Amino acid sequence: MRSPTLLLAATAAFFPVYAFQLPFKLPFFSTGTQTPLAAPQLPETAAPNRIAIIGAGAGGSSAAFWIAKAKERYGLYVEVDVYDKNPYIGGRSTTVFPYEDETLEPVELGASIFVKVNKNLWRAVDEFGLERVNFVDDDNEVMGIWDGQQFVLTTGGSSLLSNWLNKIKILWRYGYKAPTKTQALVKDMVERFLTLYSPAAPQWSNISSVVSSLAWEQVTAETAAEYFDLQGVDRRWTRELVEAATRVNYGQNVDRIHALEGLCSLAASGASSVKGGNFQIFEHFIAHSNASVYLNTTVKAISHYHPSGPWIVDSSAFDQPRLYRSVILAAPFHQANINFKASLAPVPQQPYIRLHVTLLSTSSPTPNATYFNLGHGAKAPTTLLTTYEGVRVGGGREPEFNSLTYHGPLRGKDGVPRLDVFGEQEWVVKIFSKERIDDEWLQQMFLGNVGWVLRKEWDAYPVLPPTTEFPPVKLAEGLYYVNAFEPLISTMETETIAARNVVNLLLQEQFNSGICKKSQDTAEGSHASQAESPDFVLGWDC
């Protein structure tokens, strides 16, 4: 089963695509339901060797892991507490079970894929002994890009003739330069991104400096549409195929989203996920950190009254506020709803895309063809991406969804397909939309053959317009902000990179150490050889 972005890989006929890129109980975790513990009554000027991390998603869990790496290498003594309002670890990476039946394979509700150049996540899967599941193309699958009135492009089919027809369609509609130029632009972006894993990776105290280090000033200051147009790429290619990628990945159009995130949307080759759910990576980050975790916990206030004094965290986990030397905020600043009683650097408001996710099972092997104005006997594509171009050019209606994708048969954990009560095969379908999809619409789209339905509404991604200004990484002395990186690139992987940078900055400033121990002789021996290896990953290998 292909991911939506992989199905843009009709373009892969011309070039290799490069790539970037949810509830349970765990015995070693503490939850907000435990008997509250009273914090010791320390004097106001005492700053204990303890760090608080607010948020247990990709950023918070990996921050705890990076601290553990430093403790191991430097022999640091520092306690770590991780707080999260949710009853689970993983943030926007979470799974659900169809029909609430835990004998069935879980389905990703949020962040679904990562790829090999996502070096932190890829390495974590190997180190933690998790099983990767590759997204293998289904040769019979058909992808269509829908503009609300018609399909502007369809690709797919298993025959040799179909493959040739796909190539001809793309060349005829977009020309040869569009895919080849896009390949070069994506390749250049990925190569710059990969320097963030090298021994010479930049460290930053503000996001503008990393933008400058990677020469990304233009791609962050222009929309994807403006950038591709200036590069001489066919306008229809950008507003149809590239926009299909930005809408499915970030719910935003190419004339609104900045070009860097547009390029990231196209980099989705070799996509994988973790069998059983990607959240397991973040569980393992926490488990290997030996941090204390407080789930189902509301952080009400964070205070700092004296420059040399402790940070004071007031949460529902304890009867009394708890004292910390430093705090890492790994959650969106304004959405966290924390009362900060301290002098902080200003954090600009960051709006988020409110996304409606609809998961369902259906015994209909394809969507209703008549909805898409297809002729009698025709089959609708099983991967449906969308473009806003029909509204821009023709004044038509916007598609009622961002994407609609079949994710393979409903299966048990044993891998065997499960049949419904009528003995028919069911498929799992995921729909992303701006508005709630009602039952009547679902019945129409799937010819009345709808079984299980689950709806989730959440702030899925930041709004990502062109910008030259970013939130501060350091909010105050001892207070650091992982999600400052989100307006630049918002992925699971980049949250782990931003967390690594924040932890290193904190350790240098507060503990005179770092994630990686400085070597007295890095030019000789195995350390130097390891650093030169293409498999080297900063933070893991040092």
Side-chain angles (χ1 to χ4, degrees):
M1 174 62 202
R2 320 180 217 196
S3 72
T5 41
L6 286 176
L7 289 160
L8 298 173
T11 61
F14 302 98
F15 56 82
V17 182
Y18 290 77
F20 268 99
Q21 84 185 95
L22 278 175
F24 46 83
K25 285 186 178 179
L26 297 174
F28 50 85
F29 292 152
S30 301
T31 72
T33 59
Q34 67 179 4
T35 302
L37 301 177
Q41 297 300 308
L42 298 180
E44 288 184 336
T45 56
N49 279 356
R50 186 186 300 130
I51 299 170
I53 300 174
I54 316 302
S61 63
S62 61
F65 179 76
W66 297 127
I67 294 170
K69 285 290 188 183
K71 291 169 66 176
E72 175 187 326
R73 292 162 181 157
Y74 274 88
L76 289 178
Y77 175 75
V78 58
E79 299 175 38
V80 177
D81 291 343
V82 180
Y83 298 91
D84 200 285
K85 65 183 180 181
N86 294 309
Y88 59 86
I89 287 168
R92 283 171 276 180
S93 178
T94 186
T95 60
V96 295
F97 291 98
Y99 294 103
E100 299 184 355
D101 183 349
E102 296 188 10
T103 68
L104 297 175
E105 285 187 345
V107 181
E108 291 283 358
L109 182 60
S112 298
I113 63 170
F114 57 93
V115 292
K116 195 165 186 177
V117 296
N118 292 161
K119 289 193 172 187
N120 286 334
L121 297 183
W122 200 270
R123 180 67 171 269
V125 171
D126 291 338
E127 292 281 340
F128 301 150
L130 300 172
E131 181 179 348
R132 256 188 307 272
V133 178
N134 297 322
F135 283 80
V136 180
D137 287 354
D138 181 348
D139 290 335
N140 293 308
E141 192 168 343
V142 176
M143 184 273 290
I145 300 179
W146 172 250
D147 72 358
Q149 309 298 319
Q150 62 181 341
F151 286 110
V152 299
L153 178 71
T154 58
T155 65
S158 59
S159 69
L160 180 62
L161 177 61
S162 295
N163 291 332
W164 278 105
L165 287 174
N166 291 337
K167 296 177 184 180
I168 292 169
K169 284 180 183 179
I170 292 170
L171 287 172
W172 182 264
R173 187 167 184 84
Y174 306 116
Y176 181 74
K177 182 179 180 179
T180 54
K181 181 63 175 179
T182 300
Q183 178 220 11
L185 296 172
V186 173
K187 181 175 182 291
D188 178 74
M189 179 272 297
V190 171
E191 288 176 349
R192 295 174 192 270
F193 174 80
L194 286 174
T195 64
L196 295 175
Y197 302 105
S198 74
Q203 180 173 316
W204 58 92
S205 57
N206 62 78
I207 304 302
S208 295
S209 66
V210 72
V211 170
S212 178
S213 295
L214 299 177
W216 278 346
E217 292 92 344
Q218 182 182 5
V219 291
T220 56
E222 297 174 351
T223 67
E226 291 168 337
Y227 179 74
F228 280 93
D229 288 351
L230 289 170
Q231 299 298 320
V233 174
D234 181 87
R235 289 175 60 87
R236 287 189 300 181
W237 168 275
T238 303
R239 289 155 182 81
E240 293 175 1
L241 200 142
V242 177
E243 187 159 86
T246 61
R247 286 172 65 89
V248 67
N249 283 307
Y250 293 104
Q252 295 163 72
N253 298 329
V254 292
D255 53 3
R256 293 289 183 266
I257 196 170
H258 64 63
L260 178 59
E261 205 69 287
L263 290 166
C264 293
S265 296
L266 293 170
S269 178
S272 300
S273 65
V274 175
K275 185 176 182 179
N278 294 328
F279 69 85
Q280 295 171 93
I281 297 174
F282 311 122
E283 285 188 347
H284 278 278
F285 278 150
I286 292 290
H288 283 73
S289 76
N290 290 317
S292 298
V293 182
Y294 303 96
L295 304 178
N296 273 324
T297 297
T298 300
V299 175
K300 296 175 282 188
I302 298 178
S303 309
H304 193 229
Y305 299 112
H306 302 280
S308 61
W311 285 88
I312 305 168
V313 175
D314 184 8
S315 78
S316 60
F318 300 97
D319 282 340
Q320 299 294 327
R322 195 156 165 84
L323 309 184
Y324 296 92
R325 186 162 176 175
S326 300
V327 176
I328 295 173
L329 179 60
F333 181 89
H334 296 284
Q335 281 78 0
N337 294 319
I338 297 171
N339 181 15
F340 283 94
K341 301 176 182 179
S343 178
L344 305 182
V347 179
Q349 286 285 343
Q350 174 61 66
Y352 278 72
I353 296 294
R354 194 69 177 171
L355 186 73
H356 291 259
V357 181
T358 306
L359 295 177
L360 61 100
S361 64
T362 178
S363 57
S364 180
T366 64
N368 185 353
T370 61
Y371 177 91
F372 301 101
N373 306 317
L374 299 177
H376 178 72
K379 290 185 177 180
T382 51
T383 293
L384 293 160
L385 307 181
T386 61
T387 171
Y388 193 74
E389 188 67 353
V391 182
R392 292 192 197 97
V393 175
R397 63 172 186 170
E398 182 176 2
E400 295 180 285
F401 53 89
N402 295 344
S403 64
L404 185 159
T405 55
Y406 277 62
H407 285 255
L410 184 69
R411 300 180 186 272
K413 287 184 176 178
D414 56 6
V416 177
R418 295 291 180 90
L419 306 181
D420 65 14
V421 294
F422 302 106
E424 296 182 336
Q425 173 67 65
E426 285 190 287
W427 287 265
V428 176
V429 177
K430 183 185 289 188
I431 304 171
F432 292 162
S433 60
K434 292 182 178 180
E435 305 293 338
R436 184 181 188 275
I437 299 293
D438 62 30
D439 291 339
E440 182 180 355
W441 192 94
L442 293 176
Q443 292 298 325
Q444 177 192 5
M445 179 62 73
F446 300 103
L447 303 171
N449 300 316
V450 177
W452 163 75
V453 177
L454 182 143
R455 295 178 175 88
K456 173 71 174 180
E457 179 184 356
W458 56 7
D459 292 333
Y461 341 96
V463 177
L464 296 161
T467 186
T468 58
E469 298 181 355
F470 299 92
V473 173
K474 186 175 179 180
L475 302 182
E477 188 66 33
L479 177 60
Y480 303 86
Y481 186 36
V482 172
N483 289 57
F485 202 87
E486 268 204 307
L488 183 64
I489 304 175
S490 178
T491 65
M492 293 186 292
E493 178 68 15
T494 49
E495 284 293 284
T496 69
I497 294 172
R500 186 195 69 203
N501 178 75
V502 156
V503 167
N504 211 46
L505 191 62
L506 180 157
L507 292 172
Q508 289 175 357
E509 296 182 347
Q510 304 295 320
F511 294 90
N512 194 30
S513 62
I515 295 173
C516 295
K517 194 168 186 179
K518 295 181 181 179
S519 173
Q520 296 300 314
D521 187 1
T522 58
E524 298 180 359
S526 61
H527 182 83
S529 299
Q530 192 177 33
E532 294 171 1
S533 167
D535 297 324
F536 179 91
V537 184
L538 182 64
W540 295 86
D541 299 316
C542 290

